[in-house]
Amino acid sequence: MRLFKSVDFRHEYRVSASSAGLAKACVDFSVSGTLLVWIATVNRSEQVFELKGATHRADDESDREAVIRAVSMAIDAAIAAA
């Protein structure tokens, strides 16, 4: 049985060169060695969407830092693709 951890954070993203927005992310993740598998629910203005992914934790990162880094990059990519 895997134990899940949670982290909630706010992410500032760029809409354009002069405009930014704020997204709230609620993330559940599990840890297996240095691999972190995560599922994030992201609330951006009136939109809510889900992202899934995995990342490896660097030697000098905590699990929480690694997940926030990975989810922040995924949010930026999802917004850019929209």
Side-chain angles (χ1 to χ4, degrees):
M1 183 172 124
R2 283 195 177 188
L3 295 177
F4 284 89
K5 298 179 182 182
S6 295
V7 62
D8 297 340
F9 68 96
R10 295 178 189 269
H11 174 68
E12 186 174 346
Y13 59 89
R14 285 291 200 206
V15 177
S16 67
S18 62
S19 178
L22 193 63
K24 291 172 52 179
C26 301
V27 187
D28 293 321
F29 66 97
S30 64
V31 181
S32 178
T34 61
L35 180 67
L36 299 116
V37 178
W38 53 265
I39 299 173
T41 302
V42 181
N43 184 336
R44 174 187 167 221
S45 300
E46 300 284 323
Q47 297 176 312
V48 176
F49 56 96
E50 189 173 277
L51 299 169
K52 298 177 184 180
T55 190
H56 285 277
R57 178 177 40 83
D59 291 336
D60 61 342
E61 272 185 319
S62 70
D63 294 343
R64 184 179 188 281
E65 291 169 333
V67 167
I68 289 173
R69 174 184 46 79
V71 173
S72 294
M73 290 187 315
I75 291 170
D76 289 339
I79 290 171

